[in-house]
Amino acid sequence: MNEKEKALKICSELKKIYPAAECTLSYSKPYELLIATRLSAQCTDARVNIVTKELFKKYTSLESFASADEKELEDAVRPCGFYRTKAKSIKEMAKKIISDFDGEVPDTMEKLISLPGVGRKTANLILGDVYGKPAIVTDTHCIRITGRLGLTENSDPYKVEKDLRAVIPENEGSDFCHRLVSFGREICKARKPLCDICTLSEVCSYYQKNAENQK
């Protein structure tokens, strides 16, 4: 089985386990996903969703974020941690979208990463979920799990992204990454993966290596 065949088998199995591949961040507008993703750095999606429920009621447009009192915005996002940095980048992000992109969240990697606080991970999420474009979101679940499975030997997010783009079909990338989040929370956990009940064990480099060591 070559790398592409292995990747296809993994995609197929994850699709069986998690047929509904959905983003775990709550949003109704493209810029809301951008803001929620910015808040999710070093914070759980569950907490972000609690915070944004009230945040998006208080600030109902990009313009309201752009003109927000920074101290008030800091207080609103404080539970997500790093609130000063996040509030500042959200405000500046909103300003730039309005001034440079006519109030529309851009749809290219180059333009997205020009926004304050936006890196490739966030940009890929927007490209995949909002615009339906090929995307690989290399969050901590993706990097950990694809490394264990043997789809990459890298831990640098950009290098992992390149490795996965080479073996994951373009139309599967975004959903594949969403499924990895669910899989990582339920089965392939960071501290103790549940290999005994994992249906991917037969194609998993981590499992095979440990099985050999136990013989």
Side-chain angles (χ1 to χ4, degrees):
M1 183 183 298
N2 63 35
E3 287 298 297
K4 285 193 175 182
E5 290 171 337
K6 179 176 180 177
L8 285 174
K9 185 173 181 62
I10 292 169
C11 284
S12 177
E13 186 60 32
L14 287 175
K15 197 179 294 185
K16 291 177 186 176
I17 305 170
Y18 307 105
E22 298 176 343
C23 180
T24 51
L25 291 169
S26 300
Y27 69 99
S28 60
K29 303 169 186 174
Y31 75 80
E32 290 182 350
L33 178 57
L34 200 56
I35 290 170
T37 308
R38 180 67 188 96
L39 292 175
S40 70
Q42 304 297 312
C43 183
T44 66
D45 289 357
R47 181 175 292 277
V48 171
N49 287 338
I50 292 171
V51 170
T52 55
K53 185 176 182 180
E54 297 305 317
L55 184 70
F56 296 150
K57 285 180 183 177
K58 181 173 183 178
Y59 302 99
T60 58
S61 65
L62 266 176
E63 289 75 15
S64 61
F65 277 105
S67 61
D69 177 88
E70 201 160 315
K71 181 65 170 62
E72 289 184 6
L73 188 54
E74 286 177 3
D75 290 341
V77 303
R78 185 184 293 265
C80 295
F82 301 97
Y83 59 93
R84 289 194 180 93
T85 302
K86 290 179 179 180
K88 181 177 178 61
S89 61
I90 288 169
K91 183 178 170 73
E92 294 304 314
M93 178 197 302
K95 286 182 178 179
K96 189 172 178 68
I97 292 173
I98 293 168
S99 65
D100 293 12
F101 304 112
D102 298 321
E104 296 291 330
V105 174
D107 63 352
T108 69
M109 176 63 72
E110 183 182 15
K111 291 176 180 178
L112 282 164
I113 62 175
S114 75
L115 299 173
V118 176
R120 290 189 67 87
K121 183 185 81 170
T122 299
N124 270 307
L125 183 64
I126 297 298
L127 292 174
D129 278 46
V130 174
Y131 294 110
K133 294 187 174 185
I136 296 290
V137 182
T138 51
D139 61 11
T140 55
H141 291 291
C142 176
I143 294 169
R144 179 181 78 253
I145 296 167
T146 56
R148 284 176 176 171
L149 288 169
L151 295 179
T152 180
E153 294 182 354
N154 292 299
S155 57
D156 174 77
Y158 181 56
K159 290 180 180 178
V160 172
E161 181 187 332
K162 287 180 66 177
D163 290 342
L164 296 181
R165 284 186 184 276
V167 295
I168 302 294
E170 284 190 349
N171 64 327
E172 295 278 358
S174 183
D175 287 349
F176 171 74
C177 293
H178 284 318
R179 292 182 175 112
L180 286 180
V181 173
S182 298
F183 183 63
R185 288 174 177 167
E186 295 178 9
I187 306 295
C188 198
K189 300 181 180 183
R191 293 187 179 181
K192 190 177 181 181
L194 306 180
C195 297
D196 291 345
I197 63 170
C198 179
T199 56
L200 292 177
S201 58
E202 66 178 78
V203 293
C204 177
S205 298
Y206 176 89
Y207 178 81
Q208 300 298 336
K209 181 179 178 180
N210 284 338
E212 285 295 322
N213 290 339
Q214 291 171 13
K215 287 182 179 179

